[in-house]
Amino acid sequence: SFVLTQPPSVSVAPGKTARITCGGNNIGSENVHWYQQRPGQAPQLVLFYNSDRPSGIPERFSGSNSGNTATLTISRVEAGDEADYYCQVWDSSSHLYVFGSGTKVTVL
Amino acid sequence: EVQLVQSGAEVKKAGESLKISCKGSGHSFNSYYIGWVRQTPGKGLEWMGIIYPGDSDTRYSPSFQGQVTISADESISTAYLQWRTLKASDTAMYYCARLGLYGSGNYEVFDYWGQGSLVTVSP
């Protein structure tokens, strides 16, 4: 089945930009969704279809997807953005919902 | 407001059985798939399976097929995750999540999540 690889951790200073990658074989041909999981909370959808934001998600969250890498970008990082972030795709060949390994974003 | 409320934490012994629940409100429960996701301590998210309460259509991840049973009772807007024989390795947080359709392409995403049910299984 599809394997999604994320860096275990990303550190960023407040006000700067965090970029979280999600690697997969030709992931650019897939629809990638992103979830944020703050400590002690359930995951929350922050991006769908690579770059679209659900209602209530700040414009600071954006995304892209091309080739073998999808990227979630968080601009003007705030302390409240400190969380684990997971990418996710629907693997149509195996009929599985696949999550990435997750990236812990630490705000310095 | 859409809500999924899960049953509370459970402490069990290996070999025992268990059924946890996920009660939906604020939406047409029988018109959306409900999925179950496992999160082991300090680890990531694993999709276990999914059910459509309207007709009980159920699909499992191969990793969990035969290990758990997913069911639903649409009359009380509740989905279930069940084990016949628990193992210590089943110790984890379990989330239910609604599979919603988003955007012009009707992209399937897990848009609403329960608060999680922590299951602890001692050897």
Side-chain angles (χ1 to χ4, degrees):
Chain A
S1 62
F2 214 83
V3 176
L4 299 176
T5 303
Q6 299 181 235
S9 62
V10 167
S11 297
V12 58
K16 299 299 186 182
T17 298
R19 293 180 180 84
I20 304 152
T21 59
C22 175
N25 186 29
N26 198 27
I27 195 175
S29 65
E30 307 292 338
N31 300 315
V32 180
H33 316 302
W34 290 91
Y35 301 85
Q36 174 194 67
Q37 186 178 30
R38 292 189 173 108
Q41 296 186 16
Q44 176 189 13
L45 179 70
V46 293
L47 287 182
F48 66 95
Y49 184 40
N50 305 316
S51 60
D52 288 353
R53 287 183 310 277
S55 172
I57 300 302
E59 291 183 7
R60 300 185 297 104
F61 288 81
S62 62
S64 63
N65 185 17
S66 178
N68 293 318
T69 305
T71 303
L72 167 66
T73 300
I74 311 172
S75 304
R76 302 181 299 284
V77 166
E78 302 173 356
D81 298 330
E82 190 161 278
D84 294 324
Y85 292 83
Y86 296 90
C87 55
Q88 180 253 310
V89 302
W90 159 249
D91 181 357
S92 57
S93 62
S94 61
H95 300 279
L96 298 176
Y97 296 91
V98 180
F99 289 94
S101 46
T103 297
K104 181 177 182 60
V105 170
T106 300
V107 181
L108 301 172
Chain B
E1 179 193 5
V2 176
Q3 282 192 314
L4 297 174
V5 178
Q6 298 185 228
S7 49
E10 300 274 1
V11 179
K12 293 288 196 178
K13 295 181 181 177
E16 293 184 333
S17 62
L18 176 64
K19 192 174 188 178
I20 61 175
S21 65
C22 168
K23 182 172 178 59
S25 62
H27 73 284
S28 179
F29 188 78
N30 61 0
S31 300
Y32 289 86
Y33 279 90
I34 297 291
W36 286 94
V37 176
R38 182 174 81 173
Q39 185 168 38
T40 44
K43 298 264 179 89
L45 306 172
E46 296 175 89
W47 175 70
M48 303 175 69
I50 203 159
I51 188 165
Y52 190 76
D55 62 7
S56 293
D57 174 46
T58 308
R59 288 175 266 157
Y60 294 92
S61 164
S63 298
F64 294 94
Q65 179 86 48
Q67 308 303 308
V68 296
T69 301
I70 294 171
S71 60
D73 184 340
E74 61 174 323
S75 69
I76 54 172
S77 300
T78 302
Y80 301 97
L81 179 63
Q82 182 175 9
W83 295 261
R84 289 182 60 186
T85 308
L86 284 163
K87 308 171 204 171
S89 57
D90 293 319
T91 294
M93 179 72 83
Y94 294 87
Y95 292 101
C96 63
R98 189 185 83 162
L99 194 67
L101 299 177
Y102 275 61
S104 57
N106 279 340
Y107 305 103
E108 295 181 332
V109 295
F110 294 104
D111 60 351
Y112 289 92
W113 294 67
Q115 83 278 18
S117 296
L118 181 62
V119 174
T120 304
V121 183
S122 58

